[in-house]
Protein backbone atom coordinates (compact mmCIF):
# COMPACT_ATOMS: atom_id res chain seq x y z
CA UNK A 1 0.00 0.00 0.00
CA UNK A 2 1.11 3.55 -0.71
CA UNK A 3 1.32 4.58 2.92
CA UNK A 4 3.59 1.72 3.96
CA UNK A 5 7.29 1.24 3.52
CA UNK A 6 9.52 -1.69 4.23
CA UNK A 7 11.53 -1.47 7.40
CA UNK A 8 15.26 -1.87 6.81
CA UNK A 9 17.88 -2.36 9.44
CA UNK A 10 20.53 0.35 9.19
CA UNK A 11 24.16 -0.67 9.63
CA UNK A 12 26.08 0.50 12.67
CA UNK A 13 27.88 3.16 10.68
CA UNK A 14 24.54 4.60 9.56
CA UNK A 15 23.22 4.69 13.13
CA UNK A 16 26.34 6.48 14.27
CA UNK A 17 25.93 8.99 11.45
CA UNK A 18 22.33 9.70 12.53
CA UNK A 19 23.52 10.32 16.08
CA UNK A 20 26.22 12.67 14.83
CA UNK A 21 23.60 14.63 12.88
CA UNK A 22 21.71 15.44 16.10
CA UNK A 23 22.33 18.86 17.59
CA UNK A 24 23.94 18.93 21.02
CA UNK A 25 22.56 20.98 23.89
CA UNK A 26 24.45 24.33 23.99
CA UNK A 27 26.17 25.23 27.26
CA UNK A 28 25.11 28.88 27.01
CA UNK A 29 21.79 29.84 28.53
CA UNK A 30 20.90 32.34 25.80
CA UNK A 31 21.77 29.90 23.01
CA UNK A 32 19.64 27.22 24.66
CA UNK A 33 16.62 29.54 24.93
CA UNK A 34 17.01 30.75 21.35
CA UNK A 35 17.33 27.28 19.89
CA UNK A 36 14.24 26.02 21.77
CA UNK A 37 12.25 29.02 20.54
CA UNK A 38 13.37 28.35 16.98
CA UNK A 39 12.50 24.65 17.18
CA UNK A 40 9.03 25.47 18.52
CA UNK A 41 8.60 28.38 16.07
CA UNK A 42 8.22 31.01 18.80
CA UNK A 43 4.91 29.53 19.98
CA UNK A 44 2.80 31.84 22.09
CA UNK A 45 2.47 29.25 24.87
CA UNK A 46 6.24 28.67 25.15
CA UNK A 47 7.43 29.99 28.50
CA UNK A 48 10.95 30.44 29.89
CA UNK A 49 11.84 31.10 33.51
CA UNK A 50 15.33 31.97 34.76
CA UNK A 51 16.17 31.26 38.41
CA UNK A 52 18.64 33.27 40.44
CA UNK A 53 20.91 30.29 41.08
CA UNK A 54 21.57 29.68 37.35
CA UNK A 55 18.80 27.26 36.34
CA UNK A 56 16.74 27.99 33.22
CA UNK A 57 13.34 26.37 32.76
CA UNK A 58 11.57 26.00 29.41
CA UNK A 59 8.04 24.62 29.12
CA UNK A 60 4.71 24.92 27.32
CA UNK A 61 2.03 26.60 29.43
CA UNK A 62 -0.78 24.67 27.78
CA UNK A 63 0.70 21.25 28.59
CA UNK A 64 2.08 21.67 32.12
CA UNK A 65 0.38 21.40 35.47
CA UNK A 66 1.12 24.68 37.28
CA UNK A 67 0.68 23.20 40.75
CA UNK A 68 3.19 20.41 40.08
CA UNK A 69 5.55 22.91 38.45
CA UNK A 70 5.59 25.15 41.51
CA UNK A 71 5.64 22.47 44.21
CA UNK A 72 7.80 19.74 42.66
CA UNK A 73 10.25 21.75 40.57
CA UNK A 74 10.50 25.48 41.28
CA UNK A 75 10.43 25.23 45.08
CA UNK A 76 12.89 22.31 45.00
CA UNK A 77 15.43 24.00 42.71
CA UNK A 78 15.45 27.37 44.49
CA UNK A 79 18.02 26.46 47.15
CA UNK A 80 20.32 24.13 45.20
CA UNK A 81 23.44 24.61 43.15
CA UNK A 82 22.88 24.83 39.40
CA UNK A 83 24.15 21.44 38.26
CA UNK A 84 22.28 18.67 36.41
CA UNK A 85 23.02 16.12 39.14
CA UNK A 86 21.64 18.42 41.84
CA UNK A 87 18.55 19.03 39.73
CA UNK A 88 17.95 15.29 39.44
CA UNK A 89 18.27 14.86 43.20
CA UNK A 90 16.01 17.82 44.05
CA UNK A 91 13.12 17.37 41.62
CA UNK A 92 10.42 15.16 43.16
CA UNK A 93 8.73 14.27 39.87
CA UNK A 94 8.95 10.55 39.12
CA UNK A 95 9.47 10.88 35.35
CA UNK A 96 12.85 12.61 34.99
CA UNK A 97 15.46 12.03 32.29
CA UNK A 98 18.81 13.50 31.25
CA UNK A 99 19.23 14.52 27.60
CA UNK A 100 22.20 15.76 25.58
CA UNK A 101 20.46 16.31 22.23
CA UNK A 102 18.11 19.15 21.31
CA UNK A 103 15.75 16.78 19.47
CA UNK A 104 15.17 14.73 22.62
CA UNK A 105 14.40 17.90 24.57
CA UNK A 106 11.84 19.01 21.97
CA UNK A 107 10.12 15.61 22.10
CA UNK A 108 9.98 15.80 25.90
CA UNK A 109 8.55 19.32 26.03
CA UNK A 110 5.79 18.32 23.60
CA UNK A 111 4.77 15.60 26.08
CA UNK A 112 4.29 18.08 28.90
CA UNK A 113 7.80 18.07 30.35
CA UNK A 114 9.73 20.98 31.83
CA UNK A 115 13.31 21.31 30.57
CA UNK A 116 15.86 22.34 33.19
CA UNK A 117 19.11 23.79 31.81
CA UNK A 118 22.23 24.55 33.86
CA UNK A 119 24.59 27.20 32.51
CA UNK A 120 27.89 25.66 31.50
CA UNK A 121 26.63 22.08 31.14
CA UNK A 122 25.83 20.44 27.75
CA UNK A 123 22.90 18.43 29.16
CA UNK A 124 19.35 19.17 30.26
CA UNK A 125 16.93 17.51 32.68
CA UNK A 126 13.34 16.82 31.60
CA UNK A 127 10.63 16.42 34.25
CA UNK A 128 7.14 15.43 33.11
CA UNK A 129 4.47 17.58 34.78
CA UNK A 130 1.78 17.19 32.12
CA UNK A 131 -1.79 18.14 32.85
CA UNK A 132 -4.14 15.22 33.49
CA UNK A 133 -7.29 15.87 31.46
CA UNK A 134 -8.83 12.41 31.53
CA UNK A 135 -12.50 11.66 31.22
CA UNK A 136 -13.89 9.64 34.10
CA UNK A 137 -14.58 5.96 33.49
CA UNK A 138 -18.12 5.26 32.29
CA UNK A 139 -20.29 2.36 31.16
CA UNK A 140 -19.81 0.96 27.64
CA UNK A 141 -21.97 2.77 25.08
CA UNK A 142 -21.80 0.46 22.06
CA UNK A 143 -21.31 -2.87 23.87
CA UNK A 144 -23.71 -2.56 26.76
CA UNK A 145 -24.81 -5.71 28.53
CA UNK A 146 -26.83 -6.70 31.60
CA UNK A 147 -24.33 -9.06 33.22
CA UNK A 148 -20.58 -8.69 33.61
CA UNK A 149 -18.30 -5.68 34.32
CA UNK A 150 -19.83 -2.27 33.62
CA UNK A 151 -16.72 -0.27 32.73
CA UNK A 152 -15.28 0.99 29.46
CA UNK A 153 -12.01 2.38 28.15
CA UNK A 154 -11.51 6.14 27.90
CA UNK A 155 -9.23 8.36 25.79
CA UNK A 156 -6.15 8.02 28.04
CA UNK A 157 -3.64 5.38 26.96
CA UNK A 158 -2.16 5.11 30.46
CA UNK A 159 -5.62 4.61 31.99
CA UNK A 160 -6.54 1.94 29.44
CA UNK A 161 -3.33 -0.01 30.06
CA UNK A 162 -3.88 0.23 33.82
CA UNK A 163 -7.39 -1.22 33.37
CA UNK A 164 -5.95 -4.20 31.52
CA UNK A 165 -3.27 -4.69 34.18
CA UNK A 166 -5.93 -4.63 36.92
CA UNK A 167 -7.84 -7.38 35.15
CA UNK A 168 -4.61 -9.28 34.41
CA UNK A 169 -2.23 -9.07 37.36
CA UNK A 170 0.33 -11.08 35.44
CA UNK A 171 4.04 -10.34 35.06
CA UNK A 172 3.93 -11.95 31.59
CA UNK A 173 1.73 -9.16 30.23
CA UNK A 174 4.13 -7.42 27.84
CA UNK A 175 3.68 -3.81 26.72
CA UNK A 176 5.57 -2.43 23.72
CA UNK A 177 5.26 1.24 22.74
CA UNK A 178 5.52 2.83 19.29
CA UNK A 179 5.18 6.27 17.73
CA UNK A 180 2.97 6.40 14.63
CA UNK A 181 2.31 9.43 12.44
CA UNK A 182 4.94 11.85 11.18
CA UNK A 183 2.92 14.89 12.27
CA UNK A 184 1.04 13.60 15.33
CA UNK A 185 3.56 11.15 16.85
CA UNK A 186 0.61 9.22 18.27
CA UNK A 187 1.47 6.76 21.03
CA UNK A 188 0.54 3.17 20.15
CA UNK A 189 0.86 0.23 22.57
CA UNK A 190 1.09 -3.45 21.65
CA UNK A 191 0.09 -5.85 24.45
CA UNK A 192 0.34 -9.62 24.60
CA UNK A 193 0.93 -12.41 27.11
CA UNK A 194 4.40 -13.90 27.00
CA UNK A 195 4.50 -17.72 26.73
CA UNK A 196 0.88 -17.74 25.51
CA UNK A 197 0.84 -15.52 22.40
CA UNK A 198 2.55 -16.90 19.33
CA UNK A 199 5.80 -15.01 18.75
CA UNK A 200 5.28 -15.07 14.99
CA UNK A 201 1.91 -13.37 15.41
CA UNK A 202 3.46 -10.74 17.68
CA UNK A 203 6.28 -10.12 15.20
CA UNK A 204 3.81 -9.75 12.35
CA UNK A 205 1.77 -7.15 14.22
CA UNK A 206 4.92 -5.35 15.36
CA UNK A 207 6.22 -5.12 11.79
CA UNK A 208 2.91 -3.81 10.48
CA UNK A 209 2.82 -1.02 13.06
CA UNK A 210 6.45 -0.08 12.47
CA UNK A 211 6.02 -0.03 8.68
CA UNK A 212 3.24 2.60 8.72
CA UNK A 213 4.36 5.80 7.03
CA UNK A 214 1.57 8.35 7.30
CA UNK A 215 1.01 11.84 8.70
CA UNK A 216 -1.45 11.04 11.47
CA UNK A 217 -3.21 8.26 13.33
CA UNK A 218 -5.92 9.71 15.56
CA UNK A 219 -8.04 6.68 16.40
CA UNK A 220 -7.97 2.90 16.56
CA UNK A 221 -10.63 2.67 13.84
CA UNK A 222 -8.20 4.48 11.53
CA UNK A 223 -5.18 2.39 12.52
CA UNK A 224 -7.05 -0.88 11.99
CA UNK A 225 -7.48 -0.04 8.29
CA UNK A 226 -3.71 0.32 7.95
CA UNK A 227 -2.71 -2.96 9.60
CA UNK A 228 -5.43 -5.39 8.54
CA UNK A 229 -4.65 -8.05 5.95
CA UNK A 230 -6.91 -6.77 3.15
CA UNK A 231 -7.97 -3.13 3.32
CA UNK A 232 -10.01 -3.53 0.11
CA UNK A 233 -12.35 -6.15 1.62
CA UNK A 234 -15.75 -5.02 2.87
CA UNK A 235 -15.54 -7.33 5.88
CA UNK A 236 -13.41 -6.13 8.82
CA UNK A 237 -10.70 -8.64 9.74
CA UNK A 238 -9.95 -7.30 13.22
CA UNK A 239 -12.25 -6.45 16.08
CA UNK A 240 -12.63 -3.23 18.04
CA UNK A 241 -13.90 -3.23 21.61
CA UNK A 242 -14.45 -0.67 24.35
CA UNK A 243 -14.64 -3.33 27.07
CA UNK A 244 -11.52 -4.17 29.15
CA UNK A 245 -12.89 -7.61 30.02
CA UNK A 246 -13.19 -8.54 26.35
CA UNK A 247 -9.67 -7.30 25.61
CA UNK A 248 -8.39 -9.42 28.51
CA UNK A 249 -10.23 -12.45 27.14
CA UNK A 250 -8.41 -11.93 23.84
CA UNK A 251 -5.07 -11.75 25.62
CA UNK A 252 -5.80 -14.94 27.55
CA UNK A 253 -6.63 -16.71 24.29
CA UNK A 254 -3.19 -15.89 22.88
CA UNK A 255 -4.20 -12.87 20.79
CA UNK A 256 -2.56 -9.45 20.61
CA UNK A 257 -4.17 -6.16 21.58
CA UNK A 258 -3.29 -2.73 20.14
CA UNK A 259 -4.18 0.56 21.87
CA UNK A 260 -3.96 4.10 20.48
CA UNK A 261 -3.65 7.14 22.70
CA UNK A 262 -6.83 9.23 22.42
CA UNK A 263 -9.04 6.32 21.34
CA UNK A 264 -11.71 4.66 23.47
CA UNK A 265 -11.52 1.38 21.54
CA UNK A 266 -8.74 -1.18 21.31
CA UNK A 267 -7.88 -3.57 18.47
CA UNK A 268 -7.79 -7.34 18.89
CA UNK A 269 -6.25 -9.79 16.40
CA UNK A 270 -6.43 -12.36 14.96
CA UNK A 271 -10.22 -12.75 14.77
CA UNK A 272 -12.67 -15.01 12.98
CA UNK A 273 -15.90 -14.17 11.20
CA UNK A 274 -18.03 -15.87 13.84
CA UNK A 275 -16.47 -13.81 16.65
CA UNK A 276 -18.19 -10.69 15.30
CA UNK A 277 -21.47 -12.29 16.42
CA UNK A 278 -20.31 -13.14 19.92
CA UNK A 279 -20.66 -11.02 23.04
CA UNK A 280 -18.94 -11.10 26.42
CA UNK A 281 -22.35 -11.60 27.99
CA UNK A 282 -22.43 -15.05 26.37
CA UNK A 283 -19.84 -16.12 28.94
CA UNK A 284 -21.97 -14.87 31.84
CA UNK A 285 -25.14 -16.88 31.10
CA UNK A 286 -25.88 -20.60 30.99
CA UNK A 287 -24.47 -22.39 27.98
CA UNK A 288 -27.93 -23.32 26.65
CA UNK A 289 -29.00 -19.66 26.63
CA UNK A 290 -25.70 -18.51 25.10
CA UNK A 291 -26.03 -21.08 22.32
CA UNK A 292 -29.60 -20.03 21.54
CA UNK A 293 -28.64 -16.34 21.39
CA UNK A 294 -25.66 -16.99 19.11
CA UNK A 295 -27.77 -19.08 16.72
CA UNK A 296 -30.40 -16.31 16.76
CA UNK A 297 -27.75 -13.72 15.81
CA UNK A 298 -26.46 -15.79 12.90
CA UNK A 299 -30.02 -16.47 11.71
CA UNK A 300 -30.81 -12.74 11.98
CA UNK A 301 -27.74 -11.94 9.89
CA UNK A 302 -28.95 -14.28 7.13
CA UNK A 303 -32.48 -12.84 7.29
CA UNK A 304 -31.21 -9.26 7.17
CA UNK A 305 -29.05 -9.90 4.09
CA UNK A 306 -31.32 -12.17 2.02
CA UNK A 307 -34.96 -11.59 3.09
CA UNK A 308 -35.67 -8.56 0.87
CA UNK A 309 -33.71 -10.04 -2.04
CA UNK A 310 -35.78 -13.26 -1.86
CA UNK A 311 -38.98 -11.16 -1.99
CA UNK A 312 -37.75 -9.36 -5.11
CA UNK A 313 -36.65 -12.59 -6.84
CA UNK A 314 -39.93 -14.33 -6.03
CA UNK A 315 -42.17 -11.57 -7.39
CA UNK A 316 -40.03 -10.96 -10.46
CA UNK A 317 -39.21 -14.48 -11.67
CA UNK A 318 -40.44 -17.24 -9.34
CA UNK A 319 -44.15 -16.88 -8.56
CA UNK A 320 -44.39 -20.67 -8.26
CA UNK A 321 -42.67 -20.70 -4.87
CA UNK A 322 -45.24 -18.33 -3.32
CA UNK A 323 -48.03 -20.19 -1.48
CA UNK A 324 -51.43 -19.84 -3.17
CA UNK A 325 -53.02 -18.46 -0.01
CA UNK A 326 -50.50 -15.60 -0.11
CA UNK A 327 -50.85 -14.79 -3.82
CA UNK A 328 -54.21 -13.03 -3.48
CA UNK A 329 -53.27 -10.62 -0.63
CA UNK A 330 -49.90 -10.07 -2.27
CA UNK A 331 -51.53 -9.15 -5.58
CA UNK A 332 -54.01 -6.83 -3.86
CA UNK A 333 -51.21 -5.17 -1.93
CA UNK A 334 -49.20 -4.53 -5.10
CA UNK A 335 -52.15 -3.56 -7.33
CA UNK A 336 -51.59 0.20 -6.81
CA UNK A 337 -47.77 0.12 -6.82
CA UNK A 338 -46.42 1.61 -10.08
CA UNK A 339 -42.86 0.30 -9.67
CA UNK A 340 -41.35 -3.13 -10.32
CA UNK A 341 -40.29 -5.03 -7.15
CA UNK A 342 -36.59 -4.14 -7.51
CA UNK A 343 -37.24 -0.38 -7.63
CA UNK A 344 -39.79 -0.62 -4.82
CA UNK A 345 -37.35 -2.52 -2.58
CA UNK A 346 -34.38 -0.26 -3.31
CA UNK A 347 -36.42 2.88 -2.60
CA UNK A 348 -37.69 1.54 0.71
CA UNK A 349 -34.25 0.28 1.77
CA UNK A 350 -32.78 3.68 0.96
CA UNK A 351 -35.53 5.37 2.94
CA UNK A 352 -34.80 3.15 5.97
CA UNK A 353 -31.09 4.00 5.73
CA UNK A 354 -31.90 7.71 5.53
CA UNK A 355 -34.01 7.48 8.68
CA UNK A 356 -31.32 5.48 10.47
CA UNK A 357 -28.53 7.88 9.49
CA UNK A 358 -30.57 10.95 10.39
CA UNK A 359 -31.44 9.46 13.78
CA UNK A 360 -27.79 8.71 14.46
CA UNK A 361 -26.56 12.23 13.57
CA UNK A 362 -29.23 14.20 15.43
CA UNK A 363 -29.07 14.80 19.20
CA UNK A 364 -30.09 11.73 21.20
CA UNK A 365 -33.61 12.77 22.23
CA UNK A 366 -34.47 14.30 18.86
CA UNK A 367 -32.94 11.36 16.99
CA UNK A 368 -34.99 8.74 18.83
CA UNK A 369 -38.22 10.68 18.26
CA UNK A 370 -37.44 11.33 14.62
CA UNK A 371 -36.61 7.68 14.00
CA UNK A 372 -39.84 6.36 15.51
CA UNK A 373 -42.21 9.05 14.23
CA UNK A 374 -40.50 9.29 10.85
CA UNK A 375 -40.67 5.53 10.31
CA UNK A 376 -44.38 5.34 11.20
CA UNK A 377 -45.42 8.45 9.27
CA UNK A 378 -43.37 7.73 6.16
CA UNK A 379 -44.33 4.05 6.11
CA UNK A 380 -48.05 4.73 6.49
CA UNK A 381 -48.00 7.54 3.93
CA UNK A 382 -46.07 5.40 1.43
CA UNK A 383 -48.68 2.61 1.62
CA UNK A 384 -51.65 4.99 1.43
CA UNK A 385 -50.15 6.74 -1.60
CA UNK A 386 -49.58 3.44 -3.41
CA UNK A 387 -45.84 4.00 -3.28
CA UNK A 388 -45.21 0.54 -1.81
CA UNK A 389 -47.02 -2.55 -0.52
CA UNK A 390 -47.83 -3.52 3.06
CA UNK A 391 -45.97 -6.82 2.77
CA UNK A 392 -42.72 -5.16 1.68
CA UNK A 393 -42.98 -2.71 4.59
CA UNK A 394 -43.11 -5.72 6.93
CA UNK A 395 -40.18 -7.41 5.19
CA UNK A 396 -38.04 -4.26 5.29
CA UNK A 397 -38.85 -3.73 8.97
CA UNK A 398 -37.94 -7.32 9.86
CA UNK A 399 -34.67 -7.05 7.92
CA UNK A 400 -33.77 -3.79 9.66
CA UNK A 401 -34.66 -5.25 13.05
CA UNK A 402 -32.57 -8.36 12.36
CA UNK A 403 -29.52 -6.23 11.53
CA UNK A 404 -29.63 -4.67 15.01
CA UNK A 405 -28.98 -8.04 16.69
CA UNK A 406 -25.35 -8.01 15.50
CA UNK A 407 -23.32 -7.04 18.59
CA UNK A 408 -20.53 -5.47 16.52
CA UNK A 409 -21.23 -2.05 14.97
CA UNK A 410 -18.75 -2.46 12.11
CA UNK A 411 -20.17 -5.82 11.03
CA UNK A 412 -23.68 -4.39 11.35
CA UNK A 413 -22.78 -1.72 8.79
CA UNK A 414 -21.47 -4.41 6.43
CA UNK A 415 -24.74 -6.35 6.68
CA UNK A 416 -26.70 -3.18 5.86
CA UNK A 417 -24.62 -2.53 2.73
CA UNK A 418 -24.72 -6.12 1.42
CA UNK A 419 -28.50 -6.01 1.04
CA UNK A 420 -28.32 -3.57 -1.88
CA UNK A 421 -26.17 -5.56 -4.36
CA UNK A 422 -28.12 -8.73 -3.53
CA UNK A 423 -31.43 -6.96 -4.25
CA UNK A 424 -30.04 -5.81 -7.61
CA UNK A 425 -28.82 -9.33 -8.47
CA UNK A 426 -32.21 -10.78 -7.48
CA UNK A 427 -34.07 -8.18 -9.56
CA UNK A 428 -32.09 -8.96 -12.72
CA UNK A 429 -31.47 -12.72 -12.47
CA UNK A 430 -33.74 -14.04 -9.71
CA UNK A 431 -32.50 -16.92 -7.60
CA UNK A 432 -29.60 -17.44 -10.02
CA UNK A 433 -28.38 -13.97 -9.15
CA UNK A 434 -28.88 -14.69 -5.45
CA UNK A 435 -26.83 -17.88 -5.69
CA UNK A 436 -24.12 -16.01 -7.57
CA UNK A 437 -24.04 -13.35 -4.83
CA UNK A 438 -23.99 -15.98 -2.08
CA UNK A 439 -21.13 -17.92 -3.71
CA UNK A 440 -19.18 -14.71 -4.29
CA UNK A 441 -19.51 -13.74 -0.60
CA UNK A 442 -18.55 -17.24 0.53
CA UNK A 443 -15.45 -17.34 -1.68
CA UNK A 444 -14.55 -13.82 -0.58
CA UNK A 445 -14.77 -14.86 3.11
CA UNK A 446 -12.72 -18.00 2.48
CA UNK A 447 -9.95 -15.93 0.90
CA UNK A 448 -9.72 -13.50 3.82
CA UNK A 449 -7.30 -13.79 6.71
CA UNK A 450 -6.76 -12.01 10.01
CA UNK A 451 -3.12 -11.43 10.90
CA UNK A 452 -2.26 -14.31 8.59
CA UNK A 453 -4.79 -16.69 10.16
CA UNK A 454 -7.88 -18.04 8.27
CA UNK A 455 -10.83 -15.69 8.73
CA UNK A 456 -13.51 -18.37 8.32
CA UNK A 457 -12.04 -20.70 10.95
CA UNK A 458 -13.02 -22.98 12.63
CA UNK A 459 -15.31 -23.99 9.73
CA UNK A 460 -12.76 -23.51 6.96
CA UNK A 461 -10.31 -25.03 7.43
CA UNK A 462 -12.30 -27.32 9.75
CA UNK A 463 -11.05 -27.30 13.34
CA UNK A 464 -13.60 -29.33 15.21
CA UNK A 465 -12.09 -28.66 18.64
CA UNK A 466 -12.88 -24.93 18.23
CA UNK A 467 -16.54 -25.63 17.35
CA UNK A 468 -17.20 -25.93 21.08
CA UNK A 469 -17.11 -22.12 21.34
CA UNK A 470 -18.25 -20.81 17.96
CA UNK A 471 -21.91 -20.69 16.87
CA UNK A 472 -22.66 -22.91 19.84
CA UNK A 473 -21.16 -22.56 23.29
CA UNK A 474 -20.70 -25.73 25.30
CA UNK A 475 -20.26 -25.72 29.11
CA UNK A 476 -17.14 -23.90 30.28
CA UNK A 477 -15.61 -27.13 31.52
CA UNK A 478 -15.58 -28.41 27.93
CA UNK A 479 -13.86 -25.32 26.47
CA UNK A 480 -10.50 -25.88 28.11
CA UNK A 481 -8.34 -25.30 25.02
CA UNK A 482 -7.40 -21.97 23.50
CA UNK A 483 -8.50 -21.28 19.89
CA UNK A 484 -6.14 -22.83 17.36
CA UNK A 485 -6.60 -19.81 15.12
CA UNK A 486 -4.34 -17.72 17.39
CA UNK A 487 -1.67 -20.49 17.39
CA UNK A 488 -0.99 -20.02 21.13
CA UNK A 489 2.20 -21.44 22.61
CA UNK A 490 0.24 -22.65 25.64
CA UNK A 491 -2.73 -24.45 24.10
CA UNK A 492 -4.61 -25.37 27.30
CA UNK A 493 -6.49 -22.99 29.60
CA UNK A 494 -7.06 -25.58 32.31
CA UNK A 495 -7.37 -29.30 32.82
CA UNK A 496 -10.80 -30.50 31.77
CA UNK A 497 -13.07 -31.74 34.56
CA UNK A 498 -15.97 -34.14 34.30
CA UNK A 499 -19.33 -32.45 34.57
CA UNK A 500 -21.84 -33.80 37.02
CA UNK A 501 -25.08 -35.11 35.66
Amino acid sequence: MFFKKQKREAPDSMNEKNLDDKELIPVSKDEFINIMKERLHHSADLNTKELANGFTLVFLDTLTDKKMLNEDILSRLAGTSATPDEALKSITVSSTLKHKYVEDGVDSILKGAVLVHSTGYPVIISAVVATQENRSLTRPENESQVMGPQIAFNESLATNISLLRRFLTNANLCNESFKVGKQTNSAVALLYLKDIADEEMVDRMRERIQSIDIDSVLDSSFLIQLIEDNSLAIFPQMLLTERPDRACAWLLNGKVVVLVDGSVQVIGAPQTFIEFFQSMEDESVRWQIATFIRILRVFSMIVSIFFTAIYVASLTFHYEIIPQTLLVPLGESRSRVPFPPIIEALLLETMIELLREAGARLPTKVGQTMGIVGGIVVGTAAVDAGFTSNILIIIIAVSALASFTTPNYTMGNVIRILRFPLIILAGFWGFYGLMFGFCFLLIHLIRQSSLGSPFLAPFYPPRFADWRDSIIRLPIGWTNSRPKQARPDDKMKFRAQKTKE
Side-chain angles (χ1 to χ4, degrees), residues 60-70 112 129-132:
L60 290 171
D61 280 331
T62 51
L63 293 180
T64 54
D65 187 324
K66 302 304 183 296
K67 183 178 180 181
M68 292 181 65
L69 174 63
N70 292 326
V129 289
T131 54
Q132 302 296 325

Side-chain angles (χ1 to χ4, degrees), residues 132-173:
Q132 302 296 325
E133 298 175 350
N134 297 337
R135 181 170 57 92
S136 59
L137 297 176
T138 58
R139 297 167 63 96
E141 294 290 336
N142 299 319
E143 296 179 82
S144 59
Q145 60 186 39
V146 178
M147 303 178 68
Q150 304 295 326
I151 190 171
F153 292 117
N154 66 9
E155 289 80 5
S156 172
L157 179 62
T159 302
N160 294 341
I161 294 176
S162 69
L163 285 174
L164 292 177
R165 288 199 177 276
R166 288 176 185 176
F167 274 89
L168 286 175
T169 54
N170 192 334
N172 289 329
L173 180 58

Side-chain angles (χ1 to χ4, degrees), residues 284-295:
S284 303
V285 298
R286 305 293 299 175
W287 68 273
Q288 299 93 335
I289 300 173
T291 299
F292 171 76
I293 294 174
R294 288 184 180 182
I295 294 174

Side-chain angles (χ1 to χ4, degrees), residues 460-478:
Y460 181 85
R463 293 166 177 166
F464 299 106
D466 290 347
W467 287 21
R468 294 175 291 183
D469 191 13
S470 55
I471 294 181
I472 62 173
R473 202 217 87 189
L474 296 183
I476 293 178
W478 293 18

Side-chain angles (χ1 to χ4, degrees), residues 175-458:
N175 175 18
E176 299 181 13
S177 61
F178 306 90
K179 294 294 181 184
V180 180
K182 293 180 292 186
Q183 304 298 333
T184 59
N185 282 320
S186 303
V188 176
L190 171 63
L191 275 68
Y192 58 92
L193 277 174
K194 193 72 173 177
D195 299 330
I196 293 181
D198 179 44
E199 194 62 35
E200 184 179 346
M201 289 276 189
V202 176
D203 289 340
R204 187 176 291 123
M205 179 61 80
R206 186 186 297 119
E207 290 173 2
R208 292 186 183 183
I209 296 174
Q210 291 176 335
S211 65
I212 294 174
D213 184 16
I214 200 167
D215 279 349
S216 64
V217 173
L218 301 177
D219 189 74
S220 297
S221 58
F222 186 84
L223 177 64
I224 200 173
Q225 300 176 63
L226 303 178
I227 61 176
E228 62 187 355
D229 295 38
N230 184 6
S231 60
L232 299 178
I234 190 172
F235 292 98
Q237 297 111 53
M238 297 181 184
L239 263 169
L240 288 167
T241 185
E242 58 181 346
R243 300 188 62 89
D245 55 335
R246 191 172 196 186
C248 289
W250 291 341
L251 291 169
L252 291 170
N253 281 332
K255 301 181 181 182
V256 297
V257 168
V258 179
L259 300 88
V260 177
D261 192 18
S263 177
V264 298
Q265 294 184 314
V266 306
I267 304 170
Q271 303 291 352
T272 62
F273 176 73
I274 200 62
E275 286 183 278
F276 286 85
F277 301 93
Q278 297 176 357
S279 169
M280 278 306 295
E281 195 170 21
D282 299 345
E283 307 296 327
S284 303
V285 298
R286 305 293 299 175
W287 68 273
Q288 299 93 335
I289 300 173
T291 299
F292 171 76
I293 294 174
R294 288 184 180 182
I295 294 174
L296 180 64
R297 291 182 190 136
V298 175
F299 175 75
S300 299
M301 179 263 296
I302 297 172
V303 168
S304 180
I305 293 176
F306 292 101
F307 201 11
T308 308
I310 290 174
Y311 168 85
V312 172
S314 301
L315 288 185
T316 308
F317 296 101
H318 309 285
Y319 277 102
E320 65 276 4
I321 72 166
I322 303 175
Q324 292 185 356
T325 54
L326 189 59
L327 279 174
V328 174
L330 189 59
E332 293 176 352
S333 177
R334 284 195 44 80
S335 59
R336 297 176 56 198
V337 179
F339 307 112
I342 181 175
I343 301 299
E344 179 190 11
L346 288 175
L347 287 175
L348 267 185
E349 287 285 3
T350 304
M351 192 180 303
I352 289 293
E353 294 303 320
L354 288 174
L355 287 171
R356 191 197 317 243
E357 190 66 17
R361 301 296 166 230
L362 289 172
T364 305
K365 296 182 180 179
V366 179
Q368 292 176 353
T369 304
M370 203 283 297
I372 297 172
V373 175
I376 296 174
V377 171
V378 173
T380 304
V383 173
D384 292 342
F387 187 76
T388 184
S389 63
N390 288 323
I391 294 179
L392 183 58
I393 287 285
I394 297 173
I395 291 174
I396 295 290
V398 171
S399 298
L401 187 63
S403 67
F404 291 130
T405 62
T406 304
N408 182 266
Y409 176 76
T410 308
M411 185 59 73
N413 289 337
V414 173
I415 292 173
R416 289 162 51 188
I417 297 299
L418 289 178
R419 291 205 294 261
F420 288 91
L422 287 174
I423 289 173
I424 294 174
L425 288 172
F428 281 101
W429 294 290
F431 284 152
Y432 296 104
L434 272 181
M435 285 305 300
F436 173 80
F438 171 76
C439 293
F440 179 85
L441 287 177
L442 183 60
I443 295 171
H444 179 68
L445 285 171
I446 291 174
R447 289 172 57 87
Q448 300 310 309
S449 61
S450 177
L451 205 60
S453 183
F455 186 56
L456 214 56

